[in-house]
Structure formats: C-alpha cells, structure tokens
Amino acid sequence: MDTVNAAQTPAVIPPRTRYDMKYAATLTLEELRAESAYRLAAFADKKVIHPGGRFSTRRVLKAAQLDTARHVLEVGCGVGYGALKIAKRAAKVTAIDIDPAMLERAYKRAQAAPNLTVEEASVEALPYADATFDRAVIESVTMFTDRDRSIPEIHRVLEPGGLVVDHEFCWSSEPTAWRKKTFARQFGDGACELPAAWVKRYEDAGFVDVRVATGPVLNFTPPGLVIDEGPLDALRFFGRLATRAKFARRMGSFLWDLNRLIPWIRYMVLTAKKPAVTSQLNARGLPLA
C-alpha cells in the first residue's frame, strides 16, 4: 500500500506515470472513451470534481462536524482538494483513493498538511482495524463500488457512535430508460439511485439516524466551472480542451450528456451514525431483533 504524508519529501513519492494532458495526448480516441470522466478532469487539472462542486463540499464538511473529529477517513480523496480542507479542521486525516491519476496530485498536496496521510486503498477491503476512525467522509465513490461490500466496510472501521457523510449522485425522480442509459454511458450502469434506495442501503448495513439532503449538480456547467475553479483556471480548463481535438471530443460527449441530465440528477449528502452500543449488534454489524 503506497503512503505519503507531509513528513516525507517529494523524492519518496511512489514513481508513477504523469497523468496530465501530455499523457492524454498519447491515447487514441477509443482509449479516451474508455477513461472515466473523473480521470479526464484530473488530466486537465480540474481541482473540484465531485457532483455538487465547492458548495456541496462545504455542505459535506459542515455535516461531518470536523472540529470535534479525532481521526477522519476520507474515501475517494481524488486530487486532494477536499483532504486539505478536512485536514485544516480535524486532528488527523487518512485520505484514500485507488486511481493513480488522482493519487499523483493528492500525494503532492499532502506535503502541505502534517496531519494528513494519503494512501492507496479500496473501500471494498479497507486495510484498517475495526473502530479505527470516528468520522468517514466519502466523496463520490460508493456509487462506483459493490455497495454490499463497501458500506459494511465503512461501518466496520468506524468506532461506536462514529459518523459517516457520503456525497454522491442521486436521481430526483424515478428515471426513464433514456436517463439510465445516458447516465450509464458516462458513469456506469446502476451507479445512480433514488435517495430512498441509498437510505435503505445504509440502514441494511447497520447504520442509524440516516438522513439525506440534496442539491443541484452544477460543477460541470459553465457557471459552475467558474465558481469552482475561478475565472482564470476555468479559462485554462477550456483552453486545454480547445487545443486538443481528441480530448475535446471525449470531454464534449461527457459534458453534453451531463448537462442534458441536469434536470433529473442531484447531488446527495447522506449522513448516518454507527450505533453507540455495539453489544446490540450481530456479527454482520446489524442491530439484534
């Protein structure tokens, strides 16, 4: 498992391919189509990638009650933007991702925070002991995983009374076949669900006090890009697209599909707690009858 924190120097960061626009230029159009939209955004050095942009990130940080957190697990740290925000508020942060394109940037950002450690790990098989963390913040990851494995894993590594905040896409109403197909083309089949389905998944894994708040998906709209990245970086982002035809075609397809879906998709901030009385749980972490 690759790890880096601020006590280490850039020289010890695991050697990796530089995932940037030069790398993207070496890919064929078919290879670019096989890449996820999130990875493509990382190639173009977009800072804010999660569904609701900066606004939803602030909502997540507030919901996580970080000022009293002792050890936070951030799942899906991406390029490390959110991890740094968390590290400014919490005593200790462990941030994980499985994507080299994301981790390359997160490793570098970790140098700025002595209480932040970045590790390569999967939420479906977390390499941590039971009850290691008192908070878990999940950034647009659970929808891409086997949720019957990943949500119970979060439950396992949280201490009794621990809090999880999960930030994902959700449908605003029952989706049509066209909406499902269009979403799946960019994000994968079955990744987006109604809020009630997310609540049931967390309750089935043994969480209690499960609550959901939703908001508009704006981060890949023109106004959202300016808000998230700032005017200058937004222009640079569009400039990178404009000068690379294959990349522009692939990102154009993603932006076209996403913006057509905006009336029917939302970002979701779900909060849930692990019961404080562990003696009332069975071996799977579910409440006893």
Side-chain angles (χ1 to χ4, degrees):
M1 179 173 64
D2 293 330
T3 304
V4 68
N5 59 35
Q8 297 173 299
T9 65
V12 302
I13 294 174
R16 297 175 182 274
T17 302
R18 279 193 59 82
Y19 293 95
D20 53 19
M21 293 302 289
K22 290 182 179 179
Y23 169 77
T26 68
L27 303 178
T28 66
L29 183 57
E30 288 305 312
E31 288 172 329
L32 284 170
R33 285 172 176 159
E35 293 282 1
S36 73
Y38 284 162
R39 281 172 60 87
L40 293 174
F43 294 164
D45 207 25
K46 191 178 189 304
K47 297 191 292 291
V48 183
I49 299 175
H50 306 303
R54 286 183 187 269
F55 179 78
S56 64
T57 296
R58 289 196 294 268
R59 199 169 186 175
V60 166
L61 297 180
K62 182 178 180 180
Q65 304 170 30
L66 296 172
D67 291 343
T68 59
R70 296 183 303 279
H71 192 179
V72 180
L73 173 67
E74 189 196 23
V75 179
C77 65
V79 297
Y81 169 81
L84 283 180
K85 295 283 188 182
I86 295 171
K88 289 179 180 179
R89 295 164 171 81
K92 182 179 180 182
V93 182
T94 298
I96 66 169
D97 209 297
I98 61 170
D99 192 322
M102 304 293 182
L103 286 166
E104 179 188 50
R105 289 159 176 79
Y107 283 137
K108 293 176 182 177
R109 286 196 166 103
Q111 306 301 310
N115 61 333
L116 169 61
T117 300
V118 174
E119 299 181 341
E120 183 173 358
S122 169
V123 69
E124 293 182 5
L126 291 168
Y128 308 113
D130 296 358
T132 298
F133 307 94
D134 64 325
R135 300 286 193 282
V137 175
I138 308 174
E139 291 277 19
S140 308
V141 171
T142 315
M143 65 184 188
F144 299 112
T145 66
D146 179 346
R147 282 152 278 189
D148 291 334
R149 295 175 60 188
S150 57
I151 297 176
E153 271 292 89
I154 292 295
H155 188 280
R156 180 183 66 79
V157 300
L158 277 176
E159 64 183 35
L163 173 69
V164 58
V165 181
D166 193 354
H167 177 203
E168 308 283 350
F169 280 110
C170 68
W171 295 112
S172 60
S173 59
E174 190 67 41
T176 64
W178 174 84
R179 294 172 200 165
K180 288 181 178 179
K181 181 179 179 181
T182 304
F183 192 93
R185 182 162 56 237
Q186 299 298 342
F187 295 101
D189 189 26
C192 195
E193 295 186 300
L194 290 165
W198 281 106
V199 170
K200 186 176 187 304
R201 286 185 181 277
Y202 272 85
E203 289 177 341
D204 287 349
F207 286 97
V208 297
D209 197 18
V210 184
R211 303 181 184 186
V212 170
T214 69
V217 174
L218 299 175
N219 62 328
F220 280 102
T221 64
L225 280 165
V226 173
I227 293 169
D228 288 348
E229 307 298 313
L232 186 57
D233 283 345
L235 283 174
R236 288 172 179 156
F237 176 79
F238 284 117
R240 294 183 188 106
L241 299 188
T243 58
R244 293 161 177 84
K246 289 185 296 184
F247 192 85
R249 286 180 64 185
R250 173 62 183 92
M251 279 300 290
S253 168
F254 165 69
L255 293 172
W256 172 251
D257 278 346
L258 183 62
N259 280 272
R260 287 194 299 166
L261 284 170
I262 278 176
W264 302 288
I265 57 173
R266 308 274 287 174
Y267 77 78
M268 171 194 77
V269 176
L270 177 149
T271 60
K273 293 180 180 179
K274 181 174 179 176
V277 183
T278 56
S279 62
Q280 295 179 355
L281 306 178
N282 64 20
R284 293 182 58 208
L286 300 177
L288 293 173

